Amino acid sequence: MLQLTYDREEILRVIDKVVRKTMAMDLTWDWPCGVAYYGVTRAYETTGNKEYLDMLVQWADEYIELGLPDWTVNTCAMGHMLITLYEETGNQKYWDIVMSKVDYLQNNALRFGDHVLQHTVSISNDFPEQAWADTLFMAAFFLLRVGSKLKDQEMIQDALNQYYWHIKYLQDPSSGFWYHGYNNVKQDHMSGLFWGRANAWGAYTMSQVKKLLKEWYLYPQCMDVECSLRDQLAALKLVQTENGLWRTVLDDEESYEEVSASCGIAAAMINNGNPLHTKYVQKALKGILNNISEDGRVLGVSGGTAVMKDREGYRNIPKDWIQGWGQGLALAFLSDMLK
């Protein structure tokens, strides 16, 4: 186990102000909100503060009444919140929406190759036969949560198949880092750069697999997940900055430090539980807390990022605005600190 030192009351105060700022953001039903509200559910589960749950219920009920958008891989990220709302309230309408998202992913979402989910951000065919690391959080991790809850082996296998092929497509075996995306049409990694938040999506979601599957060792793909995460975290610790953070392009010293990636990577280290990572998580905690404002904004978070054409594209993504994914990944990290 990691041997971490922290002020529990301080972290609880920070969680509270981040939750309240997040719930005041007027987010819409899409992936930024999905990641943000996943973080709020983690804060609720960790602190037991029912006010957080009540805020989510009020927001969800209002939005459901107004009407929901079409499903895409990205909008399926909202399913994480809905799982928690159903578990805590027993209201069937939340579970019905969860299962409609599952139905979309299983029967209507665009796929390629070995039944791999194509990353989609709209109802159009935006990125033909492209696999992005983002899909693991938005869809594969969601499918695994639902499959494990229902003990649905077909769904679990589908989710693990997504993990398996995203590892094969996106992880560089030489460095251990993850590329942002893979183009199956051109058989390349497009810009070929190691984007920080892509590595966070990969590491964080892989760190959840053993927690969700009690007999994980009976699934051969879980061995790939375990080894992929091991190699990735061993590489990531070497590019942590003196400030305890990771850069938006991991191995580019001219790229800025990016806080959402840092939260996801550090949370993965906590969940993986390797005691040798204690000092890296401890360092990350200081760096992340230094980037949370008094009013609960997580600072230094890059904007929504497609697979950019080159290094300059990633370097120039703005980081001056509060973002739902920054809020959510920070809450996930801080909640994992207290577990």
mmCIF file of all heavy atoms in Angstrom, residues 239-276:
data_model
loop_
_atom_site.group_PDB
_atom_site.id
_atom_site.type_symbol
_atom_site.label_atom_id
_atom_site.label_comp_id
_atom_site.label_asym_id
_atom_site.label_seq_id
_atom_site.Cartn_x
_atom_site.Cartn_y
_atom_site.Cartn_z
ATOM 1 N N VAL A 239 8.583 11.255 -16.026
ATOM 2 C CA VAL A 239 8.383 12.558 -16.663
ATOM 3 C C VAL A 239 7.526 13.484 -15.804
ATOM 4 O O VAL A 239 7.045 14.511 -16.285
ATOM 5 C CB VAL A 239 7.772 12.406 -18.075
ATOM 6 C CG1 VAL A 239 8.774 11.781 -19.025
ATOM 7 C CG2 VAL A 239 6.469 11.609 -18.049
ATOM 8 N N GLN A 240 7.351 13.140 -14.534
ATOM 9 C CA GLN A 240 6.690 14.065 -13.615
ATOM 10 C C GLN A 240 7.588 15.273 -13.397
ATOM 11 O O GLN A 240 8.798 15.142 -13.237
ATOM 12 C CB GLN A 240 6.398 13.379 -12.280
ATOM 13 C CG GLN A 240 5.581 14.226 -11.312
ATOM 14 C CD GLN A 240 5.325 13.509 -9.990
ATOM 15 O OE1 GLN A 240 6.178 12.738 -9.524
ATOM 16 N NE2 GLN A 240 4.182 13.746 -9.376
ATOM 17 N N THR A 241 7.013 16.467 -13.394
ATOM 18 C CA THR A 241 7.811 17.682 -13.236
ATOM 19 C C THR A 241 8.134 17.934 -11.765
ATOM 20 O O THR A 241 7.575 17.307 -10.871
ATOM 21 C CB THR A 241 7.076 18.905 -13.800
ATOM 22 O OG1 THR A 241 5.958 19.224 -12.945
ATOM 23 C CG2 THR A 241 6.579 18.648 -15.224
ATOM 24 N N GLU A 242 9.002 18.884 -11.536
ATOM 25 C CA GLU A 242 9.353 19.256 -10.159
ATOM 26 C C GLU A 242 8.148 19.777 -9.386
ATOM 27 O O GLU A 242 8.125 19.728 -8.156
ATOM 28 C CB GLU A 242 10.479 20.295 -10.166
ATOM 29 C CG GLU A 242 11.835 19.715 -10.512
ATOM 30 C CD GLU A 242 12.235 18.597 -9.562
ATOM 31 O OE1 GLU A 242 12.144 18.791 -8.325
ATOM 32 O OE2 GLU A 242 12.623 17.509 -10.040
ATOM 33 N N ASN A 243 7.157 20.277 -10.098
ATOM 34 C CA ASN A 243 5.943 20.785 -9.452
ATOM 35 C C ASN A 243 4.936 19.679 -9.160
ATOM 36 O O ASN A 243 3.828 19.947 -8.691
ATOM 37 C CB ASN A 243 5.287 21.850 -10.330
ATOM 38 C CG ASN A 243 6.150 23.080 -10.459
ATOM 39 O OD1 ASN A 243 6.781 23.517 -9.502
ATOM 40 N ND2 ASN A 243 6.191 23.659 -11.659
ATOM 41 N N GLY A 244 5.296 18.432 -9.473
ATOM 42 C CA GLY A 244 4.414 17.306 -9.180
ATOM 43 C C GLY A 244 3.373 17.038 -10.244
ATOM 44 O O GLY A 244 2.442 16.272 -10.021
ATOM 45 N N LEU A 245 3.533 17.656 -11.426
ATOM 46 C CA LEU A 245 2.531 17.546 -12.482
ATOM 47 C C LEU A 245 3.104 16.858 -13.715
ATOM 48 O O LEU A 245 4.283 16.517 -13.755
ATOM 49 C CB LEU A 245 2.017 18.944 -12.845
ATOM 50 C CG LEU A 245 1.425 19.756 -11.676
ATOM 51 C CD1 LEU A 245 1.066 21.163 -12.124
ATOM 52 C CD2 LEU A 245 0.208 19.057 -11.077
ATOM 53 N N TRP A 246 2.234 16.644 -14.691
ATOM 54 C CA TRP A 246 2.652 16.089 -15.978
ATOM 55 C C TRP A 246 2.300 17.077 -17.086
ATOM 56 O O TRP A 246 1.335 17.848 -16.962
ATOM 57 C CB TRP A 246 1.968 14.744 -16.226
ATOM 58 C CG TRP A 246 2.606 13.631 -15.468
ATOM 59 C CD1 TRP A 246 3.604 12.807 -15.886
ATOM 60 C CD2 TRP A 246 2.319 13.220 -14.108
ATOM 61 N NE1 TRP A 246 3.956 11.914 -14.904
ATOM 62 C CE2 TRP A 246 3.178 12.133 -13.805
ATOM 63 C CE3 TRP A 246 1.409 13.654 -13.129
ATOM 64 C CZ2 TRP A 246 3.154 11.488 -12.565
ATOM 65 C CZ3 TRP A 246 1.397 13.012 -11.901
ATOM 66 C CH2 TRP A 246 2.255 11.944 -11.621
ATOM 67 N N ARG A 247 3.073 17.059 -18.144
ATOM 68 C CA ARG A 247 2.894 18.040 -19.221
ATOM 69 C C ARG A 247 1.846 17.586 -20.232
ATOM 70 O O ARG A 247 1.542 16.405 -20.334
ATOM 71 C CB ARG A 247 4.234 18.282 -19.926
ATOM 72 C CG ARG A 247 5.297 18.841 -18.999
ATOM 73 C CD ARG A 247 6.566 19.216 -19.760
ATOM 74 N NE ARG A 247 7.604 19.676 -18.842
ATOM 75 C CZ ARG A 247 7.669 20.905 -18.330
ATOM 76 N NH1 ARG A 247 6.753 21.794 -18.665
ATOM 77 N NH2 ARG A 247 8.648 21.251 -17.507
ATOM 78 N N THR A 248 1.334 18.551 -20.987
ATOM 79 C CA THR A 248 0.301 18.229 -21.965
ATOM 80 C C THR A 248 0.845 17.361 -23.094
ATOM 81 O O THR A 248 0.109 16.563 -23.678
ATOM 82 C CB THR A 248 -0.372 19.505 -22.504
ATOM 83 O OG1 THR A 248 -1.619 19.154 -23.097
ATOM 84 C CG2 THR A 248 0.517 20.251 -23.483
ATOM 85 N N VAL A 249 2.113 17.484 -23.453
ATOM 86 C CA VAL A 249 2.836 16.473 -24.228
ATOM 87 C C VAL A 249 3.905 15.945 -23.293
ATOM 88 O O VAL A 249 4.812 16.677 -22.877
ATOM 89 C CB VAL A 249 3.459 17.042 -25.515
ATOM 90 C CG1 VAL A 249 4.246 15.957 -26.246
ATOM 91 C CG2 VAL A 249 2.376 17.614 -26.429
ATOM 92 N N LEU A 250 3.782 14.695 -22.916
ATOM 93 C CA LEU A 250 4.522 14.159 -21.770
ATOM 94 C C LEU A 250 6.024 14.373 -21.841
ATOM 95 O O LEU A 250 6.659 14.740 -20.837
ATOM 96 C CB LEU A 250 4.240 12.656 -21.639
ATOM 97 C CG LEU A 250 2.821 12.257 -21.264
ATOM 98 C CD1 LEU A 250 2.680 10.742 -21.320
ATOM 99 C CD2 LEU A 250 2.449 12.777 -19.882
ATOM 100 N N ASP A 251 6.607 14.120 -23.007
ATOM 101 C CA ASP A 251 8.062 14.133 -23.127
ATOM 102 C C ASP A 251 8.582 15.394 -23.808
ATOM 103 O O ASP A 251 9.682 15.403 -24.358
ATOM 104 C CB ASP A 251 8.541 12.893 -23.893
ATOM 105 C CG ASP A 251 7.878 12.756 -25.258
ATOM 106 O OD1 ASP A 251 6.910 13.492 -25.546
ATOM 107 O OD2 ASP A 251 8.323 11.890 -26.040
ATOM 108 N N ASP A 252 7.808 16.477 -23.751
ATOM 109 C CA ASP A 252 8.168 17.743 -24.382
ATOM 110 C C ASP A 252 8.317 18.810 -23.304
ATOM 111 O O ASP A 252 7.329 19.300 -22.760
ATOM 112 C CB ASP A 252 7.087 18.147 -25.384
ATOM 113 C CG ASP A 252 7.342 19.504 -26.020
ATOM 114 O OD1 ASP A 252 8.498 19.987 -25.953
ATOM 115 O OD2 ASP A 252 6.390 20.076 -26.589
ATOM 116 N N GLU A 253 9.531 19.170 -22.984
ATOM 117 C CA GLU A 253 9.781 20.109 -21.889
ATOM 118 C C GLU A 253 9.277 21.512 -22.183
ATOM 119 O O GLU A 253 9.192 22.344 -21.272
ATOM 120 C CB GLU A 253 11.269 20.138 -21.552
ATOM 121 C CG GLU A 253 11.776 18.832 -20.946
ATOM 122 C CD GLU A 253 13.202 18.929 -20.441
ATOM 123 O OE1 GLU A 253 13.818 20.000 -20.605
ATOM 124 O OE2 GLU A 253 13.687 17.929 -19.890
ATOM 125 N N GLU A 254 8.945 21.808 -23.429
ATOM 126 C CA GLU A 254 8.395 23.114 -23.767
ATOM 127 C C GLU A 254 6.869 23.145 -23.689
ATOM 128 O O GLU A 254 6.259 24.199 -23.880
ATOM 129 C CB GLU A 254 8.866 23.534 -25.162
ATOM 130 C CG GLU A 254 10.374 23.748 -25.243
ATOM 131 C CD GLU A 254 10.816 24.228 -26.608
ATOM 132 O OE1 GLU A 254 9.996 24.853 -27.314
ATOM 133 O OE2 GLU A 254 11.973 23.967 -26.974
ATOM 134 N N SER A 255 6.252 22.004 -23.427
ATOM 135 C CA SER A 255 4.804 21.954 -23.250
ATOM 136 C C SER A 255 4.456 22.334 -21.812
ATOM 137 O O SER A 255 5.208 22.033 -20.877
ATOM 138 C CB SER A 255 4.273 20.549 -23.549
ATOM 139 O OG SER A 255 4.351 20.257 -24.915
ATOM 140 N N TYR A 256 3.311 22.963 -21.646
ATOM 141 C CA TYR A 256 2.910 23.395 -20.305
ATOM 142 C C TYR A 256 2.438 22.222 -19.443
ATOM 143 O O TYR A 256 2.028 21.174 -19.943
ATOM 144 C CB TYR A 256 1.829 24.474 -20.376
ATOM 145 C CG TYR A 256 0.559 24.110 -21.115
ATOM 146 C CD1 TYR A 256 -0.407 23.268 -20.549
ATOM 147 C CD2 TYR A 256 0.291 24.640 -22.382
ATOM 148 C CE1 TYR A 256 -1.582 22.961 -21.207
ATOM 149 C CE2 TYR A 256 -0.886 24.343 -23.060
ATOM 150 C CZ TYR A 256 -1.822 23.502 -22.470
ATOM 151 O OH TYR A 256 -2.988 23.203 -23.132
ATOM 152 N N GLU A 257 2.523 22.425 -18.129
ATOM 153 C CA GLU A 257 1.992 21.454 -17.186
ATOM 154 C C GLU A 257 0.463 21.482 -17.248
ATOM 155 O O GLU A 257 -0.135 22.558 -17.337
ATOM 156 C CB GLU A 257 2.472 21.776 -15.775
ATOM 157 C CG GLU A 257 3.975 21.649 -15.612
ATOM 158 C CD GLU A 257 4.483 22.167 -14.288
ATOM 159 O OE1 GLU A 257 3.842 23.082 -13.711
ATOM 160 O OE2 GLU A 257 5.522 21.682 -13.815
ATOM 161 N N GLU A 258 -0.148 20.304 -17.234
ATOM 162 C CA GLU A 258 -1.594 20.214 -17.437
ATOM 163 C C GLU A 258 -2.214 19.453 -16.264
ATOM 164 O O GLU A 258 -1.834 18.331 -15.965
ATOM 165 C CB GLU A 258 -1.875 19.516 -18.765
ATOM 166 C CG GLU A 258 -3.203 19.875 -19.402
ATOM 167 C CD GLU A 258 -4.379 19.183 -18.745
ATOM 168 O OE1 GLU A 258 -4.201 18.031 -18.300
ATOM 169 O OE2 GLU A 258 -5.479 19.767 -18.687
ATOM 170 N N VAL A 259 -3.188 20.088 -15.591
ATOM 171 C CA VAL A 259 -3.649 19.586 -14.296
ATOM 172 C C VAL A 259 -4.643 18.435 -14.414
ATOM 173 O O VAL A 259 -4.628 17.523 -13.579
ATOM 174 C CB VAL A 259 -4.208 20.751 -13.449
ATOM 175 C CG1 VAL A 259 -4.761 20.247 -12.119
ATOM 176 C CG2 VAL A 259 -3.107 21.785 -13.196
ATOM 177 N N SER A 260 -5.507 18.417 -15.433
ATOM 178 C CA SER A 260 -6.459 17.301 -15.525
ATOM 179 C C SER A 260 -5.733 15.992 -15.786
ATOM 180 O O SER A 260 -6.054 14.956 -15.184
ATOM 181 C CB SER A 260 -7.506 17.566 -16.614
ATOM 182 O OG SER A 260 -6.962 17.492 -17.917
ATOM 183 N N ALA A 261 -4.733 16.017 -16.663
ATOM 184 C CA ALA A 261 -3.921 14.818 -16.899
ATOM 185 C C ALA A 261 -3.229 14.388 -15.620
ATOM 186 O O ALA A 261 -3.175 13.193 -15.298
ATOM 187 C CB ALA A 261 -2.896 15.082 -17.998
ATOM 188 N N SER A 262 -2.704 15.347 -14.879
ATOM 189 C CA SER A 262 -1.996 15.047 -13.640
ATOM 190 C C SER A 262 -2.918 14.387 -12.623
ATOM 191 O O SER A 262 -2.520 13.439 -11.927
ATOM 192 C CB SER A 262 -1.398 16.336 -13.068
ATOM 193 O OG SER A 262 -0.524 16.941 -13.996
ATOM 194 N N CYS A 263 -4.168 14.851 -12.550
ATOM 195 C CA CYS A 263 -5.135 14.249 -11.627
ATOM 196 C C CYS A 263 -5.430 12.806 -12.005
ATOM 197 O O CYS A 263 -5.453 11.912 -11.150
ATOM 198 C CB CYS A 263 -6.426 15.057 -11.629
ATOM 199 S SG CYS A 263 -6.304 16.695 -10.882
ATOM 200 N N GLY A 264 -5.663 12.557 -13.294
ATOM 201 C CA GLY A 264 -5.978 11.205 -13.737
ATOM 202 C C GLY A 264 -4.827 10.242 -13.542
ATOM 203 O O GLY A 264 -5.019 9.093 -13.115
ATOM 204 N N ILE A 265 -3.618 10.705 -13.830
ATOM 205 C CA ILE A 265 -2.433 9.849 -13.688
ATOM 206 C C ILE A 265 -2.172 9.539 -12.213
ATOM 207 O O ILE A 265 -1.923 8.386 -11.838
ATOM 208 C CB ILE A 265 -1.213 10.515 -14.337
ATOM 209 C CG1 ILE A 265 -1.385 10.557 -15.862
ATOM 210 C CG2 ILE A 265 0.078 9.782 -13.949
ATOM 211 C CD1 ILE A 265 -0.402 11.465 -16.577
ATOM 212 N N ALA A 266 -2.235 10.568 -11.367
ATOM 213 C CA ALA A 266 -1.983 10.357 -9.941
ATOM 214 C C ALA A 266 -3.051 9.467 -9.316
ATOM 215 O O ALA A 266 -2.751 8.625 -8.457
ATOM 216 C CB ALA A 266 -1.918 11.700 -9.222
ATOM 217 N N ALA A 267 -4.314 9.624 -9.748
ATOM 218 C CA ALA A 267 -5.383 8.753 -9.233
ATOM 219 C C ALA A 267 -5.133 7.307 -9.641
ATOM 220 O O ALA A 267 -5.377 6.383 -8.860
ATOM 221 C CB ALA A 267 -6.733 9.233 -9.747
ATOM 222 N N ALA A 268 -4.643 7.099 -10.856
ATOM 223 C CA ALA A 268 -4.330 5.737 -11.303
ATOM 224 C C ALA A 268 -3.242 5.123 -10.435
ATOM 225 O O ALA A 268 -3.288 3.933 -10.106
ATOM 226 C CB ALA A 268 -3.898 5.754 -12.764
ATOM 227 N N MET A 269 -2.248 5.928 -10.067
ATOM 228 C CA MET A 269 -1.195 5.423 -9.182
ATOM 229 C C MET A 269 -1.757 5.007 -7.830
ATOM 230 O O MET A 269 -1.375 3.963 -7.279
ATOM 231 C CB MET A 269 -0.114 6.489 -9.004
ATOM 232 C CG MET A 269 0.764 6.687 -10.214
ATOM 233 S SD MET A 269 2.067 7.923 -9.919
ATOM 234 C CE MET A 269 3.082 7.705 -11.401
ATOM 235 N N ILE A 270 -2.684 5.801 -7.298
ATOM 236 C CA ILE A 270 -3.307 5.445 -6.025
ATOM 237 C C ILE A 270 -4.041 4.112 -6.162
ATOM 238 O O ILE A 270 -3.882 3.195 -5.349
ATOM 239 C CB ILE A 270 -4.287 6.540 -5.569
ATOM 240 C CG1 ILE A 270 -3.550 7.835 -5.247
ATOM 241 C CG2 ILE A 270 -5.081 6.069 -4.344
ATOM 242 C CD1 ILE A 270 -4.471 9.003 -4.954
ATOM 243 N N ASN A 271 -4.868 4.003 -7.200
ATOM 244 C CA ASN A 271 -5.685 2.802 -7.376
ATOM 245 C C ASN A 271 -4.843 1.573 -7.671
ATOM 246 O O ASN A 271 -5.220 0.457 -7.304
ATOM 247 C CB ASN A 271 -6.702 3.036 -8.495
ATOM 248 C CG ASN A 271 -7.761 4.048 -8.113
ATOM 249 O OD1 ASN A 271 -8.248 4.042 -6.989
ATOM 250 N ND2 ASN A 271 -8.111 4.931 -9.027
ATOM 251 N N ASN A 272 -3.706 1.763 -8.336
ATOM 252 C CA ASN A 272 -2.847 0.625 -8.642
ATOM 253 C C ASN A 272 -2.136 0.095 -7.398
ATOM 254 O O ASN A 272 -1.806 -1.079 -7.313
ATOM 255 C CB ASN A 272 -1.820 1.024 -9.708
ATOM 256 C CG ASN A 272 -1.174 -0.163 -10.363
ATOM 257 O OD1 ASN A 272 -1.847 -1.109 -10.761
ATOM 258 N ND2 ASN A 272 0.140 -0.123 -10.493
ATOM 259 N N GLY A 273 -1.885 0.980 -6.441
ATOM 260 C CA GLY A 273 -1.433 0.552 -5.128
ATOM 261 C C GLY A 273 0.011 0.129 -4.997
ATOM 262 O O GLY A 273 0.382 -0.532 -4.017
ATOM 263 N N ASN A 274 0.861 0.510 -5.948
ATOM 264 C CA ASN A 274 2.279 0.163 -5.844
ATOM 265 C C ASN A 274 2.951 1.102 -4.841
ATOM 266 O O ASN A 274 3.010 2.309 -5.069
ATOM 267 C CB ASN A 274 2.942 0.296 -7.218
ATOM 268 C CG ASN A 274 4.382 -0.188 -7.231
ATOM 269 O OD1 ASN A 274 5.068 -0.195 -6.214
ATOM 270 N ND2 ASN A 274 4.863 -0.587 -8.393
ATOM 271 N N PRO A 275 3.485 0.590 -3.723
ATOM 272 C CA PRO A 275 4.074 1.473 -2.713
ATOM 273 C C PRO A 275 5.230 2.312 -3.247
ATOM 274 O O PRO A 275 5.520 3.379 -2.700
ATOM 275 C CB PRO A 275 4.543 0.508 -1.617
ATOM 276 C CG PRO A 275 4.602 -0.835 -2.266
ATOM 277 C CD PRO A 275 3.555 -0.835 -3.326
ATOM 278 N N LEU A 276 5.882 1.858 -4.311
ATOM 279 C CA LEU A 276 6.987 2.626 -4.889
ATOM 280 C C LEU A 276 6.514 3.922 -5.542
ATOM 281 O O LEU A 276 7.330 4.790 -5.853
ATOM 282 C CB LEU A 276 7.737 1.773 -5.918
ATOM 283 C CG LEU A 276 8.483 0.557 -5.363
ATOM 284 C CD1 LEU A 276 9.054 -0.279 -6.493
ATOM 285 C CD2 LEU A 276 9.598 1.006 -4.420
#
